[in-house]
Amino acid sequence: MRLNRQTRQVHVFRQDGSVLTVPWDSLFLTLGEEKSPLSGTTYDLRAHVLDADGETVRESFSLGYPSLLSNAGSIDKFWAFLQPYMEAEDGVERTWRHLKENTGYLMPVDGRKEGWRWSIVQNYAWTGHWPWLQFIGSPVLGLNAIGRMFAMWTSKVPKWPEEVERENLVEADDPYVLTWRDNGPIGWWELYWPLICTILGVGGFVGVIVWIVSGLWR
């Protein structure tokens, strides 16, 4: 997804790979809610594209969500971060400062696939405050990390149409450019401990499966 503050356009990929471009000011924003047996109830900032009657929803997409552990109240905080960029006079500077000072890492996925290290980091990020939980849940979290890597390896990098690229050119001397290359080094608890948990968890799972199968052959 791309938000263009100057043209006030939002560009977002649809599920079929096509691109939707819609004016920011025409979006109907609301609290999105989804339920699943694995993650329970999750919330996101949902954007609806309305028909001319102002009531019929033509398309919908998510503007994002803070984390898997977020509640309905946290969406207000997410909106408080997102809104100034598009609507406040000093929105660019405020957004840049927030990302610079309060965001741990920016994802290195611009024009490239997520690497295996970042699959590990992102997979365990929501449990980052509880290393003991990462260890206990390592069979499930580890298998999920492997699945995430496989999904990345078998996916293709999305490519914006040329007209979208032309409308979103970044000037070489833009003082507010901030990318994943500005990240600090990944720490022990962010990568190496989750990596150990993944190896132990997946190894333990495979060991149990081998033990069960070998018992069936006796």
Side-chain angles (χ1 to χ4, degrees):
M1 181 172 59
R2 274 179 156 167
L3 304 179
N4 191 315
R5 173 184 166 92
Q6 294 180 332
T7 64
R8 305 200 61 73
Q9 298 291 311
V10 180
H11 310 280
V12 59
F13 280 102
R14 296 186 177 96
Q15 292 292 324
D16 62 2
S18 62
V19 173
L20 167 69
T21 297
V22 61
W24 166 264
D25 298 299
S26 71
L27 294 175
F28 181 89
L29 304 179
T30 186
L31 175 67
E33 180 178 330
E34 295 289 342
K35 295 182 179 180
S36 76
L38 293 179
S39 58
T41 302
T42 57
Y43 301 93
D44 67 282
L45 184 58
R46 195 75 52 84
H48 296 311
V49 181
L50 302 182
D51 211 339
D53 60 10
E55 296 182 0
T56 305
V57 177
R58 289 169 43 206
E59 299 192 57
S60 298
F61 60 92
S62 174
L63 283 168
Y65 57 91
S67 75
L68 289 175
L69 300 179
S70 61
N71 54 33
S74 65
I75 300 301
D76 291 334
K77 297 179 181 179
F78 179 66
W79 173 239
F81 157 74
L82 188 63
Q83 182 186 25
Y85 175 74
M86 293 298 287
E87 300 183 2
E89 184 176 348
D90 61 343
V92 174
E93 181 180 355
R94 287 168 59 180
T95 302
W96 181 87
R97 187 183 305 113
H98 178 89
L99 292 173
K100 187 74 173 178
E101 299 175 357
N102 300 316
T103 302
Y105 301 104
L106 298 176
M107 291 298 296
V109 292
D110 183 15
R112 53 185 284 178
K113 294 184 180 182
E114 178 184 278
W116 69 268
R117 292 180 180 86
W118 285 98
S119 291
I120 296 286
V121 171
Q122 283 297 100
N123 184 71
Y124 285 84
W126 65 280
T127 58
H129 296 293
W130 308 288
W132 56 270
L133 180 59
Q134 294 176 336
F135 178 75
I136 294 174
S138 60
V140 175
L141 291 172
L143 289 172
N144 192 68
I146 298 299
R148 183 178 180 123
M149 294 178 202
F150 181 78
M152 297 300 169
W153 292 336
T154 56
S155 299
K156 66 178 182 179
V157 178
K159 182 176 178 58
W160 292 106
E162 292 184 5
E163 58 270 21
V164 175
E165 292 285 7
R166 285 196 300 268
E167 290 184 7
N168 292 272
L169 294 177
V170 178
E171 297 179 2
D173 58 347
D174 190 332
Y176 296 108
V177 170
L178 193 63
T179 72
W180 64 271
R181 293 178 177 82
D182 298 298
N183 289 337
I186 305 176
W188 165 267
W189 295 109
E190 287 80 20
L191 173 60
Y192 298 105
W193 171 247
L195 176 59
I196 291 173
C197 290
T198 298
I199 295 173
L200 293 177
V202 174
F205 176 82
V206 172
V208 170
I209 295 299
V210 170
W211 176 73
I212 292 174
V213 172
S214 63
L216 295 176
W217 284 92
R218 293 177 183 174

